[in-house]
């Protein structure tokens, strides 16, 4: 059974198939391929979109969900992660995990005979980026030759964007303050394969000619207060940033958003913003991801 831990584990065809299936199932009836499947959701961190879109999606596909929230489960606390994995495989058919350490989910998936889906770790957020790629395809067509501009923090969502850019070979401009840089191992890996990833500390240059402008909260869950927000101020996505992008450019944010911090209210509520389509697409993307995990050989 394949896992869905990081986008870089997928081939280009696998990722494109997941995107196509997400769009197909958004627009037409799908089989209830999860009938009688039991899915355990381990959420060590709060969630609105990820948790509810997984629960609704699994129920729509005929399956059943069992939630372990942060009060009930901190991986590795009451027993080893390996023991938790070996117990759950006696009951369930799939495990969805949102946890802090990426090594925890890797450890879990290494011993588990069940498919494991990454619902966010401190390192990456691949389900989010599949939904984002679906949203771009819906609004702008093929991802080929598209230019994506990322603003602000170099966080787990950006990590998955970098991996997507390498696999699908599109341009990714990263606009971030000096001293805030993406994971160095990732950049070194990416640069060996794809020369289309650029880091730029001049915000107005980052969105020049972009098809899609993206930002995220400046301080991710667990990182609050670690860096002064002032350093991010020039990287707020506002009308000056959007003016540099193409006229038909879209604005995306994985939400939750902090209005007039990482994005101005005007842009978030403006006609280029597709943030609620993006949130809806979590549901469709995750159905295709679960199909990949349960039906690939
Ligand atoms: N974007 C995202 O993952 O939202 P939640 O934290 O609400 O799941």
């Amino acid at each position: 059974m394949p896992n869905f831990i990081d986008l870089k584990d997928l081939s280009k065809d696998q990722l494109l198939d997941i995107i196509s299936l997400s769009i197909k199932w958004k627009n037409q009836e799908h089989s209830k391929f999860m009938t009688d499947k039991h899915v355990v959701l381990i959420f060590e961190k709060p969630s609105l979109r990820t948790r509810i879109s997984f629960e609704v999606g699994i129920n729509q596909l005929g399956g059943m969900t069992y939630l372990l929230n942060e009060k009930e489960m901190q991986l590795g606390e009451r027993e080893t992660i390996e023991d938790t994995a070996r117990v759950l495989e006696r009951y369930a058919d799939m495990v969805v995990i949102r946890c802090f350490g990426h090594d925890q989910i890797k450890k879990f998936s290494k011993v588990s005979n069940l498919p494991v889906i990454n619902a966010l770790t401190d390192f990456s957020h691949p389900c989010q980026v599949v939904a984002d790629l679906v949203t771009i395809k819906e609004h702008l067509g093929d991802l080929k030759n598209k230019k994506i501009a990322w603003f602000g923090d170099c966080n787990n969502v950006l990590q998955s964007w970098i991996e997507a850019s390498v696999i699908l070979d599109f341009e990714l401009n990263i606009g971030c303050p000096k001293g805030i840089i993406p994971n160095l191992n990732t950049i070194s890996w990416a640069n060996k394969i794809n020369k289309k990833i650029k880091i730029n500390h001049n915000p107005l240059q980052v969105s020049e000619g972009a098809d899609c402008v993206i930002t995220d909260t400046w301080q991710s869950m667990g990182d609050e207060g670690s860096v002064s927000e002032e350093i991010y101020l020039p990287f707020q996505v506002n009308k000056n940033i959007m003016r540099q992008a193409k006229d038909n450019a879209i604005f995306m944010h994985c939400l939750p958003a902090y209005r007039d911090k990482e994005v101005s209210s005007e842009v978030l509520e403006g006609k280029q913003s597709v943030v609620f389509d993006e949130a809806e697409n979590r549901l469709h993307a995750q159905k295709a991801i679960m199909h990949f995990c349960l039906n690939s050989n």
Side-chain angles (χ1 to χ4, degrees), residues 132-145:
D132 294 357
L133 294 167
V134 167
T135 311
I136 292 179
K137 189 152 187 191
E138 274 185 319
H139 282 272
L140 300 174
D142 209 329
L143 289 153
K144 210 172 171 186
N145 300 324

Side-chain angles (χ1 to χ4, degrees), residues 224-262:
E224 295 90 345
S226 57
V227 181
S228 162
E229 286 190 349
E230 271 177 30
I231 62 165
Y232 292 105
L233 284 174
F235 295 89
Q236 180 194 70
V237 176
N238 50 37
K239 64 178 189 219
N240 295 330
I241 296 289
M242 290 306 290
R243 208 176 280 136
Q244 307 302 316
K246 286 186 181 158
D247 290 344
N248 69 339
I250 56 173
F251 168 73
M252 298 207 298
H253 187 310
C254 69
L255 304 177
Y258 297 88
R259 284 169 169 74
D260 300 319
K261 287 201 170 189
E262 71 269 12

Side-chain angles (χ1 to χ4, degrees), residues 46-51 98 125 128 221 254-256 282:
S47 170
L48 172 69
R49 282 144 288 271
T50 312
R51 180 187 151 186
R98 169 170 285 201
H125 198 1
Q128 179 65 56
M221 272 181 283
C254 69
L255 304 177
R282 297 295 305 276

Side-chain angles (χ1 to χ4, degrees), residues 16-31:
L16 289 174
D17 284 350
I18 290 172
I19 295 167
S20 298
L21 196 59
S22 312
I23 294 173
K24 184 176 162 193
W25 284 347
K26 181 170 181 174
N27 297 306
Q28 72 185 58
E29 199 66 23
H30 43 67
S31 74

